[in-house]
Amino acid sequence: MLKNKQSEQGFTFIEVLIFTAILSFLLIALTTTVVTSLQRMTTVEHRLYSQRYAEELEEWLRGEEEADWSTFIVRDASSSGSMYCFNGALDFRTPVWPTAGQNCSSYNGIGTTTPLIYKRYAVITAASPNQTNIQIVVEWKDGNKYFSTPLNTVFTNAKEK
């Protein structure tokens, strides 16, 4: 009777294997959930930064438009709109406009901010002598995926009646 009790104590090898397999699947599922959540959180963070960069450029352009409408309106050199690359930091004290039609193909960041995954440009199209359409786009590259935040607005010369 004593021998029989000793053989019944503990787990069999099959029971240990089943427990280990179930525990492994649970840990894999938990790890996958955490990694997916972190990736989504990073994407949301980059989207927030891109929205900030787009709004920053819109305000800078609004200041340029309010300062001198006649200079601002001639920024559209073609009927299809002129593209300006604003990857550099905006200087609100001394405005520096990039060259129209500048190649804005690299995702090398905006100004000196990190991460260096963004590019920002604006397409300016004069709709009439008193109205200008502005399309601001901030794009970023996250791994092998590309994202963008478009911001469309219309500037009107309020000084003209």
Side-chain angles (χ1 to χ4, degrees):
M1 187 155 207
L2 188 57
K3 276 185 168 182
N4 206 6
K5 272 192 167 182
Q6 285 179 348
S7 65
E8 290 180 13
Q9 291 178 353
F11 298 105
T12 66
F13 184 66
I14 299 290
E15 290 172 331
V16 171
L17 282 177
I18 291 172
F19 173 76
T20 306
I22 291 172
L23 186 63
S24 297
F25 284 126
L26 289 175
L27 288 175
I28 288 171
L30 181 64
T31 303
T32 302
T33 303
V34 168
V35 168
T36 303
S37 296
L38 288 173
Q39 288 173 339
R40 287 185 181 160
M41 185 177 69
T42 302
T43 301
V44 168
E45 179 184 14
H46 292 161
R47 187 173 308 281
L48 288 172
Y49 277 120
S50 70
Q51 187 68 34
R52 177 183 153 244
Y53 293 143
E55 291 172 357
E56 176 186 62
L57 180 57
E58 179 187 21
E59 290 303 313
W60 187 83
L61 290 171
R62 193 170 304 281
E64 289 291 297
E65 174 258 334
E66 289 177 1
D68 188 0
W69 175 263
S70 58
T71 303
F72 185 81
I73 195 76
V74 298
R75 298 287 181 193
D76 176 33
S78 67
S79 59
S80 62
S82 295
M83 184 175 118
Y84 294 89
C85 185
F86 288 94
N87 279 349
L90 298 175
D91 187 355
F92 290 91
R93 292 162 292 170
T94 55
V96 176
W97 277 80
T99 306
Q102 180 179 358
N103 184 4
C104 195
S105 61
S106 62
Y107 293 88
N108 58 358
I110 296 174
T112 58
T113 60
T114 55
L116 300 176
I117 59 172
Y118 297 97
K119 72 176 179 178
R120 172 175 60 182
Y121 60 90
V123 177
I124 300 173
T125 308
S128 71
N130 292 324
Q131 192 175 31
T132 302
N133 296 325
I134 309 289
Q135 178 188 20
I136 298 169
V137 179
V138 177
E139 296 178 353
W140 73 96
K141 182 180 176 184
D142 193 3
N144 293 330
K145 295 181 181 178
Y146 294 89
F147 301 92
S148 69
T149 300
L151 179 64
N152 297 313
T153 188
V154 177
F155 289 174
T156 304
N157 186 3
K159 296 174 187 171
E160 292 292 321
K161 293 184 181 182

